[in-house]
Amino acid sequence: MNIIKIRGASLSFDNNIIFHSIDLDVEGSSIILLTGASGSGKTSFLRILSGSIPRIFKGSVGGFFQPSLKEIYRKVFYMSQEPWFGIATPYVWSEIFSTGSSEKDPMNYKNFLKELGLLHLYNRSTYTLSAGETQRLLLLKAFLSKKDLLLLDEPTSYLDKDNAELYAETLYKFSLKNNLSIIITDHRIDLWKKYTDQIYVFENRSIVEYESSFYKDVYNNFLEKLRSLSKERSVDEKRRCISFKIKYFKYPGSERILLKDLEGSICEGEIILVKGVSGSGKSTFLKLLIERIVNSRYKDLVEVYYENIDEDFVRRNIIYVPDNPFLFFTEPIVEEELRGEVELLKKLNIDVEKKFLSIKRLSSGERRRVAFLSAIGMKRRFVFIDEPTVGLDPFNKYLMLRLMREYAEKGFTFIISSHDPHVEAVSDEIIYIR
């Protein structure tokens, strides 16, 4: 596939126009970045090229495609924004061989595992991988698929800065060596600038070049506004805190100690960031501490002390939002999930009319925002939340972190696992996992 020509591509769901009049040329050995506001249609565009729309997600597709969409489908590898959807087997090694690769394959998968920092995970169960490790494994599967066009939806969203840079550089080299075409959706414009041939923005239901877009100004302005959300805490205020010390923790059957001699405090009314590289144990830390507080598990591994705060109050007021929002939701419809408090949607730039939608009809960024609104709507005072800003453009990220600051000032406490530097900028405390 040397070139793809797209003219006048359009998409609508139930007479609701998502985008129209999209023109795009995709040439061999090219990397194209698609960016834009959350929910603007980036993922839907990739789903058209992969065949997910209309074969799985029913929508009305228009426009001219050369070669035909049926021909494009056969030459595409699609990586979903939710990396866990791309895993089909129980082990890392079996996932690799599910692509048709073998020990004698001239494309040496072990070299790629090493390049991507995954070689030590070769025999691991796939369900124990972090989201960032899963994203890197899926990149290897994309390489081994030997497809002509890779469609990567937010491929670095769960990666720390260094691993994201490694990911982008490896992808760039592979594209040049194999004359491969790649279309990426991502909000990390600064990361991809030096590796991409073109950057387009989904704007006003079409696409424009980034440099001439309105989004460019929004992107830069709200990066500055995010920094204004930090707060200086008075040293004289009486602190109500939970102190903890994790002696050590490793998964059953693993020789690797994941967490060791980790201690700190979580104080009421603060935004606390849990920071570490991909696979360092950030999500495990959240789950371990919750299990210790709520169910009194791991007493021999985790010590917990309460300062000026009732232990039972803490236990009753914990809620956890995982990095996969689908595991959090308990209701099928947005309005039901928010228990009727649909006015909360306005606070995070979500059309109130979407209260009637099924959760699965929301974009990934919208699902993440609705999960956050649902959590604070329950009035639980200690919100443990894993990667809340994944898939959010700077404007919507600003709105979420501003709302988080607003609730922190009301006494809510947010314990956030993230590598997002903007979350770090607004955090009151940082717990480092090295």
Side-chain angles (χ1 to χ4, degrees), residues 20-36:
H20 58 79
S21 304
I22 288 185
D23 298 337
L24 190 66
D25 291 338
V26 184
E27 299 181 4
S29 190
S30 66
I31 300 179
I32 296 173
L33 175 65
L34 304 178
T35 189

Side-chain angles (χ1 to χ4, degrees), residues 217-235:
D217 293 331
V218 172
Y219 184 85
N220 292 321
N221 289 339
F222 279 94
L223 288 183
E224 287 298 319
K225 293 195 75 171
L226 280 164
R227 299 184 184 98
S228 71
L229 295 175
S230 59
K231 181 192 82 168
E232 289 190 15
R233 187 186 63 232
S234 170
V235 295

Side-chain angles (χ1 to χ4, degrees), residues 36 67 78 87 166 187 267 349 354 367:
Y78 172 58
I87 299 297
L166 171 67
H187 296 291
C267 297
N349 191 37
K354 291 192 175 183
R367 281 196 297 270

Side-chain angles (χ1 to χ4, degrees), residues 111-127:
N111 284 342
F112 281 115
L113 281 171
K114 188 175 181 180
E115 280 189 46
L116 294 168
L118 297 174
L119 188 57
H120 67 290
L121 301 176
Y122 183 70
N123 291 310
R124 276 272 295 274
S125 298
T126 48
Y127 79 89

Side-chain angles (χ1 to χ4, degrees), residues 332-334 354-362 367:
I333 306 299
V334 172
K354 291 192 175 183
K355 66 183 180 181
F356 301 114
L357 286 183
S358 164
I359 294 291
K360 66 182 181 181
R361 289 288 303 275
L362 300 176
R367 281 196 297 270

Side-chain angles (χ1 to χ4, degrees), residues 273-327:
L273 172 65
V274 182
K275 181 180 178 182
V277 300
S278 303
S280 61
K282 301 186 298 296
S283 298
T284 300
F285 166 77
L286 296 187
K287 297 171 187 175
L288 190 63
L289 193 55
I290 291 169
E291 284 284 349
R292 173 65 180 85
I293 294 172
V294 175
N295 298 319
S296 299
R297 293 183 65 190
Y298 307 115
K299 281 189 175 182
D300 54 335
L301 305 179
V302 184
E303 297 175 356
V304 175
Y305 307 97
Y306 299 89
E307 179 184 349
N308 302 316
I309 192 167
D310 181 68
E311 179 178 351
D312 189 55
F313 172 80
V314 175
R315 185 180 294 114
R316 287 184 287 103
N317 275 278
I318 282 181
I319 193 165
Y320 171 57
V321 185
D323 52 5
N324 180 357
F326 278 120
L327 300 179

Side-chain angles (χ1 to χ4, degrees), residues 362-374:
L362 300 176
S363 72
S364 181
E366 288 169 337
R367 281 196 297 270
R368 208 164 290 277
R369 282 176 279 165
V370 169
F372 175 72
L373 293 173
S374 178

